């Protein structure tokens, strides 16, 4: 299994990349949708289960865990940490903390090209189905009631790693293909949005950072056509993506071009989905230049453009609530004895930890382990010698590997109120992909897929403007950002699904999962 896993919200220290793992290899978090397009639901009280859920929220999320006995034998665990099982009378239950023989299911994929799954209880030999308000396990062969669509509940923006090649997918230099030959997922071109398309029969589309879709022939298309739709299959904890003709995506040839070829699944057709950690660039307020490690170990604000040398991965340390700042060469920013900042640390030490201290003007200060703030010298070199965040110790922040943003809060995803409306709400089951345009001094503009910019007023947020309105992004937690207008108010989510500008205090701001 190459030590990689997928699912959601876990964080392993494998190769320093966060992973979509529920802290265990091969775990996925999913929703299961029946033929009436209702989700399998574990109610909070009385351990009742049904298939009445209208959308994928907390009660509809299941953790799929690998079990012994074959690469497609699994357990299903509810959000209450109880296991779905079938008892000796054929009743479907979900109230045990323990895995037992009756809780093992085997996945088989429908051969009608729909990508739907059937779940056969290993002990009973019957298939799991849903009828009216209850779940059944009485069918010897799967019928319409026993087929389930799979809705991956992982954060939809991921890095894609080939199991066979042990390499990551990235956008090709010509911006027209996906190549699977990157050693590490660095920069915006390794970010992909795995879009669940309910209206297309629960299939998936692979959306690239340049706003295109991968087609089965290996070329990128401007719009999502039937050739850009794939069904998701589970194989021993890994993902295979199957096109409408039955071919599986895999890296082909010396360039490792991602396209469909084989009709069978080997290591070459398997992928793990891995959490895309935040990668950022910083502009020094003092001289307007990007912080860089292009010249070697010294961290210096002296570049006019962004390349891999000006892109840094931010890795959160849970115990101290501070951040490691990592370079593409696998080195960490480190406080040296004279106060200088060098990209010299090859292991994580306390001198490689920094506080991110956000300022009212959208800039950030870095507090080093000596208690001083990092400041830019006239030469561009960075030294931790400032007592406060003033002009030399301010840096403007750009979240580089999110040129397309998907936003989520406790109510749900940010998406359109209706297909015809430009009004955005934050309680949607499906998301809108938001284009992020960079401007100067850390300012970004948000643009809808309709080509219109976000406009915010007392009524809420609409993607209906030709004029740009500026925002700052503040990285507050490993998976959450705050969004602040250039006038200083934070974007807040309301219980009714509206979201709008609130006040200027971070305490009242919504922490958006991105």
């Amino acid at each position: 299994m190459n030590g990689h896993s997928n699912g959601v919200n876990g964080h392993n220290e494998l190769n320093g990349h966060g992973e979509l793992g529920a802290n265990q290899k091969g775990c996925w978090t999913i929703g299961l949708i029946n033929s009436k397009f209702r989700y399998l639901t574990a109610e909070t009280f009385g351990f009742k289960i049904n298939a009445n859920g209208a959308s994928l929220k907390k009660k509809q999320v299941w953790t799929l865990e690998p079990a012994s006995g074959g690469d497609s034998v699994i357990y299903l665990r509810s959000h209450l940490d109880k296991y779905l099982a079938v008892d000796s009378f054929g009743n479907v239950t979900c109230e045990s903390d323990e895995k037992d023989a009756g809780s093992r299911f085997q996945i088989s994929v429908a051969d009608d090209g729909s990508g739907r799954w059937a779940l056969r209880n290993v002990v009973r030999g019957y298939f799991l189905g849903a009828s009216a308000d209850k779940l059944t396990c009485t069918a010897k062969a799967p019928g319409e009631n026993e087929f389930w669509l799979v809705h991956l509940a992982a954060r939809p923006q991921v890095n894609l790693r080939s199991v066979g090649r042990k390499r990551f997918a990235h956008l090709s230099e010509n911006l027209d293909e996906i190549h699977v030959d990157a050693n590490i997922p660095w920069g915006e071109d390794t970010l992909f949005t795995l879009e669940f398309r309910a209206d297309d029969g629960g299939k998936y589309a692979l959306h690239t950072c340049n706003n295109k879709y991968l087609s089965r022939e290996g070329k990128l298309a401007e719009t999502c056509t039937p050739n850009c739709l794939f069904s998701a299959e589970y194989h021993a904890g890994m993902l295979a993506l199957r096109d409408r003709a039955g071919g599986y995506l895999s890296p082909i040839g010396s360039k490792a071009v991602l396209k469909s070829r084989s009709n069978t699944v080997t290591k070459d057709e398997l992928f793990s989905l891995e959490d895309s950690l935040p990668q950022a660039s910083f502009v020094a307020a003092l001289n307007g230049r990007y912080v860089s490690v292009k010249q070697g170990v010294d961290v210096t604000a002296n570049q006019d453009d962004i390349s891999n040398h000006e892109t840094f991965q931010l890795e959160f340390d849970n115990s101290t609530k501070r951040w490691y700042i990592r370079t593409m060469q696998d080195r960490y920013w480190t406080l040296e004895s004279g106060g200088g900042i060098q990209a010299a640390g090859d292991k994580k030490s306390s001198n490689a930890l920094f506080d991110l201290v956000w300022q009212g003007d959208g800039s950030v200060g870095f507090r080093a382990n000596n208690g001083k703030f990092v400041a830019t010298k006239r030469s561009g070199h960075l030294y931790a010698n400032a007592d406060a965040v003033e002009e030399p110790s301010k840096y403007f922040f750009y979240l580089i590997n999110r040129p397309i943003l998907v936003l989520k809060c406790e109510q749900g995803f940010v998406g359109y109120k209706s297909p015809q409306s430009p009004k955005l709400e934050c309680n949607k089951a499906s998301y809108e992909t938001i284009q992020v345009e960079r401007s100067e001094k850390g300012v970004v503009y948000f643009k809808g897929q309709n080509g219109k910019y976000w406009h915010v007023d007392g009524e809420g947020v609409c993607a209906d403007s030709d004029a740009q309105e500026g925002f700052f992004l503040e990285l507050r937690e490993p998976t959450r950002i705050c969004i602040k207008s250039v006038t200083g108010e934070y974007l807040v989510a309301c219980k009714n699904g509206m979201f709008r500008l609130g006040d200027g205090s971070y305490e009242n701001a919504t922490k958006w999962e991105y």
Side-chain angles (χ1 to χ4, degrees), residues 57-73:
K57 299 221 169 139
K58 188 178 178 181
K59 292 189 290 188
Q60 288 76 33
V61 171
W62 296 80
T63 302
L64 182 154
E65 298 177 3
S68 58
D71 78 356
S72 56
V73 178

Side-chain angles (χ1 to χ4, degrees), residues 23 113 148 159 180 202 403 419 488:
N23 298 326
W148 303 84
N159 300 132
V180 190

Side-chain angles (χ1 to χ4, degrees), residues 391-432:
E391 189 78 358
S393 45
K394 283 184 179 181
Y395 299 88
F396 294 107
F397 167 89
Y398 293 103
L399 190 59
I400 292 301
N401 61 340
R402 291 294 185 281
I404 290 178
L405 208 52
V406 170
L407 292 174
K408 189 181 181 194
C409 65
E410 281 179 8
Q411 276 78 270
F413 286 108
V414 168
Y416 288 117
K417 183 173 184 175
S418 70
Q420 290 73 40
S421 168
K423 190 175 178 72
L424 289 157
E425 294 184 338
C426 62
N427 60 353
K428 297 298 171 192
S430 56
Y431 47 83
E432 158 75 350

Side-chain angles (χ1 to χ4, degrees), residues 345-375:
D346 57 356
K347 59 182 187 292
K348 296 182 176 179
S349 70
S350 56
N351 276 339
L353 284 167
F354 296 86
D355 281 310
L356 299 188
V357 183
W358 296 95
Q359 304 300 306
D361 60 359
S363 67
V364 66
F366 302 105
R367 191 189 289 120
N369 205 36
N370 60 1
K372 302 278 190 182
F373 285 97
V374 173

